[in-house]
Amino acid sequence: SQQGEEDPQALSIQEGENATMNCSYKTSINNLQWYRQNSGRGLVHLILIRSNEREKHSGRLRVTLDTSKKSSSLLITASRAADTASYFCASGGANSKLTFGKGITLSVRP
Amino acid sequence: GAGVSQSPSNKVTEKGKDVELRCDPISGHTALYWYRQSLGQGLEFLIYFQGNSAPDKSGLPSDRFSAERTGGSVSTLTIQRTQQEDSAVYLCASSRLQGYTEAFFGQGTRLTVV
């Protein structure tokens, strides 16, 4: 079963605007991770938030986690054209595989 | 090595042939994952290894697919009697601790079955 489900499926914004992407998951987790993929090849890890954390920052990225709602959000502030990519959330935990959602396609218009 | 290495990067094979895809994880990473991604789609889980054992093989699409890992390092994904629907990018990732730490991905093997 799909553990992570992102929404929206696609997002198009103007350069300089903020982009917010959401992820929901189904079972208990130890952590929630966000990844980025360019050109349909390898994924790059962006940020990991543990189940006992509520918010985490890394540069222009801010991720939140609400374990009561089984949801997470990724905010990219002051977006750039180079942020155009697909973004995936993945849930991790004890004795569980790292399970990915279907991804969000972000387009940032110059 | 410095990163996860997958070979070959591209493979074109005829329907019915067997193929082997190789993954060299980052040294010291105990967990290794295989995923499949069709064009424009998400990542489909295939199998993961903790050391040399595979606790979860539930994602393997059929008995034509098998995987092994030796010495807690290199892994090989084998597809027998390939079909056109097997065409996809096969991604391998490794992590220091399964489920608890970030995963590092290889660049994938693009398999085309003609």
Side-chain angles (χ1 to χ4, degrees):
Chain A
S1 62
Q2 198 77 25
Q3 175 72 309
E5 297 274 353
E6 299 97 340
D7 81 88
Q9 290 187 327
L11 182 62
S12 181
I13 60 174
Q14 198 72 35
E15 201 166 30
E17 293 180 338
N18 296 340
T20 299
M21 292 168 271
N22 303 301
C23 167
S24 61
Y25 57 93
K26 296 178 181 175
T27 61
S28 296
I29 61 170
N30 172 273
N31 62 79
L32 194 290
Q33 304 179 31
W34 285 89
Y35 290 78
R36 165 190 169 131
Q37 184 180 41
N38 289 85
S39 307
R41 298 303 279 248
L43 279 71
V44 175
H45 180 264
L46 295 176
I47 194 165
L48 179 154
I49 184 166
R50 303 201 183 279
S51 59
N52 61 353
E53 298 176 308
R54 292 295 168 260
E55 187 171 312
K56 200 165 182 180
H57 297 252
S58 177
R60 293 185 296 114
L61 305 180
R62 180 173 78 98
V63 66
T64 62
L65 179 64
D66 187 335
T67 53
S68 66
K69 295 181 180 177
K70 290 186 167 59
S71 67
S72 173
S73 68
L74 173 68
L75 170 68
I76 303 175
T77 60
S79 64
R80 305 166 182 169
D83 294 328
T84 295
S86 293
Y87 292 82
F88 294 84
C89 70
S91 53
N95 300 318
S96 69
K97 53 187 178 274
L98 194 59
T99 308
F100 287 80
K102 294 182 179 180
I104 297 170
T105 301
L106 173 66
S107 297
V108 181
R109 303 185 301 274
Chain B
V4 177
S5 176
Q6 290 188 249
S7 60
S9 56
N10 289 282
K11 175 73 176 178
V12 180
T13 189
E14 291 181 354
K15 178 181 173 181
K17 300 280 189 184
D18 297 351
V19 294
E20 280 190 356
L21 311 180
R22 178 187 168 103
C23 174
D24 270 288
I26 292 173
S27 178
H29 280 194
T30 60
L32 185 147
Y33 310 85
W34 282 99
Y35 296 91
R36 179 169 74 172
Q37 187 176 36
S38 299
L39 187 63
Q41 301 298 308
L43 273 71
E44 176 188 2
F45 168 80
L46 297 178
I47 187 171
Y48 84 86
F49 290 89
Q50 182 61 30
N52 290 336
S53 64
D56 190 340
K57 303 179 183 179
S58 63
L60 294 177
S62 73
D63 58 8
R64 296 186 295 105
F65 288 72
S66 63
E68 65 173 13
R69 187 180 186 192
T70 56
S73 181
V74 172
S75 176
T76 303
L77 177 68
T78 302
I79 309 173
Q80 295 179 311
R81 306 181 301 282
T82 52
Q83 303 294 313
Q84 288 187 329
E85 60 262 29
D86 299 334
S87 296
V89 175
Y90 289 80
L91 293 163
C92 174
S94 70
S95 66
R96 189 168 53 84
L97 290 173
Q98 173 257 318
Y100 287 98
T101 56
E102 66 190 284
F104 294 82
F105 279 80
Q107 287 303 298
T109 294
R110 184 179 301 279
L111 175 66
T112 304
V113 182
V114 298

